[in-house]
């Protein structure tokens, strides 16, 4: 189900809780909401639809949507400065530091643990959504 976007900075600044297999419905809602906003958005985190669970969804480099539970950055390399916008935050782009390459541990929707490297814009999207999970607002 497509959910309304959360804009309350106090809610968004609270760290999300670990997700489990019972959060599959939230993951589906997150994915449907992201697809509904595909014209102006490439990634979302659970708290953006009002659910404080560590779930992210994003458009990957192959043009397919990916959902991850409990993503954690294990290693990051090559910092750079950039500007990002966010559907949950009013105003224009904000400056932030991202990393060109990240090593990520996450769980698939069926709770299989994976470790994978990501680079470029895909890595940037993931970092933005993990910030959401950690209550970090750009």
């Amino acid at each position: 189900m497509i959910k309304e976007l959360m804009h309350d900075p106090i809610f968004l600044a609270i760290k999300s809780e670990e997700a489990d297999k019972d959060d599959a419905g939230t993951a589906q809602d997150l994915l449907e909401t992201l697809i509904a906003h595909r014209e102006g958005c490439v990634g979302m985190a659970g708290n953006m639809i009002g659910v404080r669970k560590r779930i992210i969804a994003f458009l990957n480099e192959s043009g397919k949507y990916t959902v991850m539970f409990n993503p954690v950055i294990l290693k990051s390399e090559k910092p750079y400065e950039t500007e990002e916008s966010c559907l949950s935050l009013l105003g224009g782009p904000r400056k932030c530091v991202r990393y060109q390459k990240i090593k990520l541990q996450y769980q698939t929707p069926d709770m299989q643990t994976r470790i994978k490297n990501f680079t470029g814009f895909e890595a940037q999207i993931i970092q933005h959504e993990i910030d959401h999970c950690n209550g970090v607002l750009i």
Side-chain angles (χ1 to χ4, degrees):
M1 172 184 293
I2 298 169
K3 298 291 187 173
E4 188 172 327
L5 296 178
M6 173 63 64
H7 298 286
D8 179 358
I10 295 171
F11 180 90
L12 293 169
I14 298 172
K15 190 173 181 177
S16 295
E17 299 172 3
E18 193 165 309
D20 60 35
K21 63 182 180 177
D22 293 333
D23 295 310
T26 296
Q28 185 63 38
D29 291 345
L30 184 63
L31 186 58
E32 289 176 18
T33 305
L34 173 58
I35 292 169
H37 291 277
R38 67 183 165 271
E39 294 300 320
C41 186
V42 291
M44 287 187 154
N47 66 354
M48 293 176 69
I49 60 168
V51 181
R52 284 193 213 114
K53 291 291 186 164
R54 295 185 65 83
I55 304 171
I56 68 171
F58 62 95
L59 186 63
N60 70 24
E61 63 186 11
S62 302
K64 295 182 181 179
Y65 288 97
T66 300
V67 175
M68 296 178 171
F69 285 47
N70 306 310
V72 175
I73 297 172
L74 302 175
K75 185 177 180 182
S76 55
E77 299 176 28
K78 300 181 182 176
Y80 64 96
E81 291 185 17
T82 189
E83 289 187 350
E84 296 176 353
S85 295
C86 182
L87 286 181
S88 287
L89 301 174
L90 301 176
R94 293 168 174 87
K95 291 182 180 183
C96 61
V97 174
R98 296 291 180 218
Y99 295 87
Q100 182 64 29
K101 181 178 179 182
I102 59 171
K103 183 175 186 176
L104 191 73
Q105 178 177 305
Y106 64 95
Q107 292 171 307
T108 63
D110 61 351
M111 304 312 289
Q112 299 297 311
T113 299
R114 301 279 188 263
I115 295 176
K116 185 176 177 181
N117 292 317
F118 293 90
T119 60
F121 188 56
E122 192 173 34
Q124 182 177 343
I125 297 166
I126 292 167
Q127 291 169 76
H128 180 103
E129 304 316 329
I130 289 175
D131 275 358
H132 270 292
C133 292
N134 292 332
V136 176
L137 305 178
I138 60 164

CSV table of all heavy atoms in Angstrom, one decimal, residues 9-43:
chain,number,residue,atom,x,y,z
A,9,PRO,N,10.6,16.2,11.6
A,9,PRO,CA,12.1,16.0,11.8
A,9,PRO,C,12.3,15.3,13.2
A,9,PRO,O,13.4,14.6,13.4
A,9,PRO,CB,12.7,17.4,11.8
A,9,PRO,CG,11.5,18.3,12.0
A,9,PRO,CD,10.3,17.6,11.5
A,10,ILE,N,11.5,15.5,14.2
A,10,ILE,CA,11.7,14.8,15.5
A,10,ILE,C,11.5,13.3,15.3
A,10,ILE,O,12.3,12.6,15.8
A,10,ILE,CB,10.7,15.4,16.5
A,10,ILE,CG1,11.1,16.9,16.8
A,10,ILE,CG2,10.8,14.6,17.8
A,10,ILE,CD1,10.1,17.6,17.6
A,11,PHE,N,10.5,12.9,14.6
A,11,PHE,CA,10.3,11.5,14.4
A,11,PHE,C,11.4,10.9,13.6
A,11,PHE,O,12.0,9.8,13.9
A,11,PHE,CB,9.0,11.2,13.6
A,11,PHE,CG,8.7,9.8,13.3
A,11,PHE,CD1,8.0,9.0,14.2
A,11,PHE,CD2,9.1,9.2,12.1
A,11,PHE,CE1,7.7,7.7,13.9
A,11,PHE,CE2,8.9,7.9,11.8
A,11,PHE,CZ,8.2,7.1,12.7
A,12,LEU,N,11.8,11.6,12.5
A,12,LEU,CA,12.9,11.1,11.6
A,12,LEU,C,14.3,11.1,12.3
A,12,LEU,O,15.1,10.3,11.8
A,12,LEU,CB,13.0,12.0,10.4
A,12,LEU,CG,11.7,12.0,9.4
A,12,LEU,CD1,11.8,13.1,8.4
A,12,LEU,CD2,11.6,10.6,8.8
A,13,ALA,N,14.4,11.8,13.4
A,13,ALA,CA,15.7,11.8,14.1
A,13,ALA,C,15.9,10.7,15.1
A,13,ALA,O,16.9,10.6,15.7
A,13,ALA,CB,15.9,13.2,14.7
A,14,ILE,N,14.9,9.9,15.2
A,14,ILE,CA,14.9,8.8,16.2
A,14,ILE,C,15.5,7.5,15.4
A,14,ILE,O,15.0,7.2,14.4
A,14,ILE,CB,13.6,8.5,16.8
A,14,ILE,CG1,13.1,9.7,17.6
A,14,ILE,CG2,13.6,7.2,17.7
A,14,ILE,CD1,11.7,9.6,18.1
A,15,LYS,N,16.5,6.9,16.0
A,15,LYS,CA,17.1,5.7,15.4
A,15,LYS,C,16.0,4.6,15.3
A,15,LYS,O,15.2,4.3,16.2
A,15,LYS,CB,18.2,5.2,16.3
A,15,LYS,CG,19.1,4.2,15.6
A,15,LYS,CD,20.3,3.9,16.5
A,15,LYS,CE,21.2,2.9,15.8
A,15,LYS,NZ,22.4,2.6,16.6
A,16,SER,N,16.1,3.9,14.1
A,16,SER,CA,15.1,2.8,13.8
A,16,SER,C,15.6,1.5,14.5
A,16,SER,O,16.7,1.3,14.8
A,16,SER,CB,15.0,2.6,12.3
A,16,SER,OG,14.5,3.7,11.7
A,17,GLU,N,14.6,0.6,14.8
A,17,GLU,CA,14.8,-0.6,15.4
A,17,GLU,C,15.1,-1.7,14.3
A,17,GLU,O,14.7,-1.6,13.2
A,17,GLU,CB,13.6,-1.1,16.2
A,17,GLU,CG,13.2,-0.1,17.3
A,17,GLU,CD,11.8,-0.5,17.9
A,17,GLU,OE1,11.2,-1.5,17.5
A,17,GLU,OE2,11.4,0.3,18.8
A,18,GLU,N,15.8,-2.8,14.8
A,18,GLU,CA,16.1,-3.9,13.8
A,18,GLU,C,14.8,-4.5,13.3
A,18,GLU,O,13.8,-4.6,14.0
A,18,GLU,CB,16.9,-4.9,14.6
A,18,GLU,CG,17.5,-5.9,13.6
A,18,GLU,CD,18.6,-6.7,14.3
A,18,GLU,OE1,19.5,-6.2,14.9
A,18,GLU,OE2,18.5,-8.0,14.2
A,19,ALA,N,14.8,-4.8,12.0
A,19,ALA,CA,13.7,-5.4,11.4
A,19,ALA,C,13.8,-7.0,11.4
A,19,ALA,O,14.9,-7.5,11.5
A,19,ALA,CB,13.6,-4.9,9.9
A,20,ASP,N,12.7,-7.6,11.3
A,20,ASP,CA,12.7,-9.1,11.2
A,20,ASP,C,11.7,-9.5,10.1
A,20,ASP,O,11.0,-8.7,9.5
A,20,ASP,CB,12.4,-9.7,12.6
A,20,ASP,CG,11.1,-9.4,13.2
A,20,ASP,OD1,10.1,-9.2,12.4
A,20,ASP,OD2,11.0,-9.3,14.4
A,21,LYS,N,11.5,-10.8,10.0
A,21,LYS,CA,10.6,-11.4,8.9
A,21,LYS,C,9.2,-10.9,9.1
A,21,LYS,O,8.5,-10.9,8.1
A,21,LYS,CB,10.7,-12.9,8.8
A,21,LYS,CG,10.2,-13.6,10.1
A,21,LYS,CD,10.4,-15.1,9.9
A,21,LYS,CE,9.9,-15.8,11.2
A,21,LYS,NZ,10.0,-17.2,11.1
A,22,ASP,N,8.8,-10.5,10.3
A,22,ASP,CA,7.4,-10.1,10.5
A,22,ASP,C,7.2,-8.7,9.9
A,22,ASP,O,6.1,-8.2,9.8
A,22,ASP,CB,7.1,-10.0,12.0
A,22,ASP,CG,7.0,-11.4,12.6
A,22,ASP,OD1,6.7,-12.4,11.8
A,22,ASP,OD2,7.3,-11.6,13.8
A,23,ASP,N,8.3,-8.0,9.4
A,23,ASP,CA,8.2,-6.7,8.8
A,23,ASP,C,8.1,-6.7,7.3
A,23,ASP,O,8.2,-5.7,6.6
A,23,ASP,CB,9.4,-5.9,9.2
A,23,ASP,CG,9.4,-5.6,10.7
A,23,ASP,OD1,8.4,-5.2,11.3
A,23,ASP,OD2,10.4,-5.8,11.4
A,24,ALA,N,7.7,-7.9,6.8
A,24,ALA,CA,7.6,-8.0,5.3
A,24,ALA,C,6.5,-7.1,4.7
A,24,ALA,O,6.7,-6.5,3.7
A,24,ALA,CB,7.3,-9.5,4.9
A,25,GLY,N,5.4,-6.9,5.5
A,25,GLY,CA,4.4,-5.9,5.0
A,25,GLY,C,4.9,-4.5,4.9
A,25,GLY,O,4.6,-3.8,4.0
A,26,THR,N,5.7,-4.1,5.9
A,26,THR,CA,6.3,-2.8,5.9
A,26,THR,C,7.2,-2.6,4.7
A,26,THR,O,7.2,-1.6,4.0
A,26,THR,CB,7.1,-2.5,7.2
A,26,THR,OG1,6.1,-2.5,8.3
A,26,THR,CG2,7.8,-1.2,7.1
A,27,ALA,N,8.0,-3.7,4.4
A,27,ALA,CA,8.9,-3.6,3.3
A,27,ALA,C,8.1,-3.5,2.0
A,27,ALA,O,8.5,-2.7,1.1
A,27,ALA,CB,9.8,-4.9,3.2
A,28,GLN,N,7.0,-4.2,1.8
A,28,GLN,CA,6.2,-4.1,0.6
A,28,GLN,C,5.6,-2.7,0.5
A,28,GLN,O,5.6,-2.1,-0.6
A,28,GLN,CB,5.1,-5.1,0.6
A,28,GLN,CG,4.3,-5.1,-0.6
A,28,GLN,CD,5.1,-5.5,-1.8
A,28,GLN,OE1,6.0,-6.3,-1.8
A,28,GLN,NE2,4.8,-4.9,-3.0
A,29,ASP,N,5.1,-2.1,1.6
A,29,ASP,CA,4.6,-0.7,1.6
A,29,ASP,C,5.7,0.3,1.2
A,29,ASP,O,5.4,1.2,0.4
A,29,ASP,CB,4.0,-0.4,3.0
A,29,ASP,CG,2.8,-1.1,3.4
A,29,ASP,OD1,2.1,-1.7,2.5
A,29,ASP,OD2,2.4,-1.1,4.6
A,30,LEU,N,6.9,0.1,1.7
A,30,LEU,CA,8.0,1.0,1.4
A,30,LEU,C,8.3,0.9,-0.1
A,30,LEU,O,8.4,1.9,-0.7
A,30,LEU,CB,9.2,0.6,2.2
A,30,LEU,CG,10.4,1.4,2.1
A,30,LEU,CD1,10.2,2.9,2.6
A,30,LEU,CD2,11.6,0.8,2.9
A,31,LEU,N,8.3,-0.3,-0.6
A,31,LEU,CA,8.6,-0.5,-2.0
A,31,LEU,C,7.5,0.2,-2.9
A,31,LEU,O,7.8,0.9,-3.9
A,31,LEU,CB,8.8,-1.9,-2.4
A,31,LEU,CG,9.2,-2.3,-3.8
A,31,LEU,CD1,10.5,-1.7,-4.1
A,31,LEU,CD2,9.2,-3.8,-3.9
A,32,GLU,N,6.3,0.0,-2.6
A,32,GLU,CA,5.2,0.5,-3.3
A,32,GLU,C,5.2,2.1,-3.3
A,32,GLU,O,4.9,2.7,-4.2
A,32,GLU,CB,3.8,0.0,-2.8
A,32,GLU,CG,3.7,-1.5,-3.2
A,32,GLU,CD,2.4,-2.1,-2.7
A,32,GLU,OE1,1.5,-1.4,-2.3
A,32,GLU,OE2,2.3,-3.4,-2.6
A,33,THR,N,5.5,2.6,-2.1
A,33,THR,CA,5.6,4.1,-1.9
A,33,THR,C,6.7,4.6,-2.7
A,33,THR,O,6.6,5.7,-3.4
A,33,THR,CB,5.7,4.4,-0.4
A,33,THR,OG1,4.6,3.8,0.3
A,33,THR,CG2,5.7,5.9,-0.2
A,34,LEU,N,7.9,3.9,-2.7
A,34,LEU,CA,9.0,4.4,-3.5
A,34,LEU,C,8.7,4.4,-5.0
A,34,LEU,O,9.0,5.4,-5.7
A,34,LEU,CB,10.2,3.5,-3.3
A,34,LEU,CG,11.5,3.7,-4.2
A,34,LEU,CD1,12.0,5.1,-4.0
A,34,LEU,CD2,12.6,2.7,-3.8
A,35,ILE,N,8.1,3.3,-5.5
A,35,ILE,CA,7.7,3.3,-6.9
A,35,ILE,C,6.7,4.4,-7.3
A,35,ILE,O,6.8,5.0,-8.3
A,35,ILE,CB,7.1,1.9,-7.2
A,35,ILE,CG1,8.3,0.8,-7.1
A,35,ILE,CG2,6.5,1.8,-8.6
A,35,ILE,CD1,7.8,-0.6,-7.2
A,36,ALA,N,5.8,4.7,-6.3
A,36,ALA,CA,4.8,5.8,-6.6
A,36,ALA,C,5.5,7.1,-6.7
A,36,ALA,O,5.0,8.0,-7.4
A,36,ALA,CB,3.8,5.8,-5.5
A,37,HIS,N,6.7,7.3,-6.1
A,37,HIS,CA,7.4,8.5,-6.1
A,37,HIS,C,8.7,8.4,-7.0
A,37,HIS,O,9.6,9.2,-6.9
A,37,HIS,CB,7.9,8.9,-4.7
A,37,HIS,CG,6.7,9.3,-3.8
A,37,HIS,ND1,6.2,10.6,-3.8
A,37,HIS,CD2,6.0,8.6,-2.9
A,37,HIS,CE1,5.2,10.6,-3.0
A,37,HIS,NE2,5.1,9.4,-2.4
A,38,ARG,N,8.7,7.5,-7.9
A,38,ARG,CA,9.9,7.2,-8.8
A,38,ARG,C,10.3,8.4,-9.6
A,38,ARG,O,11.5,8.5,-10.0
A,38,ARG,CB,9.6,6.0,-9.7
A,38,ARG,CG,8.6,6.2,-10.7
A,38,ARG,CD,8.4,4.9,-11.5
A,38,ARG,NE,7.2,4.9,-12.3
A,38,ARG,CZ,6.0,4.5,-11.9
A,38,ARG,NH1,5.8,4.1,-10.6
A,38,ARG,NH2,4.9,4.6,-12.7
A,39,GLU,N,9.5,9.4,-9.9
A,39,GLU,CA,9.9,10.5,-10.7
A,39,GLU,C,10.9,11.4,-9.9
A,39,GLU,O,11.7,12.1,-10.5
A,39,GLU,CB,8.7,11.3,-11.1
A,39,GLU,CG,7.7,10.6,-12.1
A,39,GLU,CD,8.4,10.2,-13.4
A,39,GLU,OE1,9.2,11.0,-13.9
A,39,GLU,OE2,8.2,9.1,-13.8
A,40,GLY,N,10.8,11.4,-8.6
A,40,GLY,CA,11.7,12.3,-7.8
A,40,GLY,C,12.4,11.7,-6.7
A,40,GLY,O,13.0,12.3,-5.8
A,41,CYS,N,12.5,10.3,-6.7
A,41,CYS,CA,13.1,9.6,-5.6
A,41,CYS,C,13.7,8.3,-6.1
A,41,CYS,O,13.0,7.5,-6.8
A,41,CYS,CB,12.0,9.4,-4.5
A,41,CYS,SG,12.7,8.7,-3.0
A,42,VAL,N,14.9,8.0,-5.6
A,42,VAL,CA,15.5,6.7,-5.9
A,42,VAL,C,15.7,5.8,-4.7
A,42,VAL,O,16.2,4.6,-4.9
A,42,VAL,CB,16.9,6.9,-6.6
A,42,VAL,CG1,16.7,7.5,-8.0
A,42,VAL,CG2,17.8,7.8,-5.8
A,43,GLY,N,15.4,6.2,-3.5
A,43,GLY,CA,15.5,5.4,-2.3
A,43,GLY,C,14.7,5.9,-1.2
A,43,GLY,O,14.3,7.1,-1.1
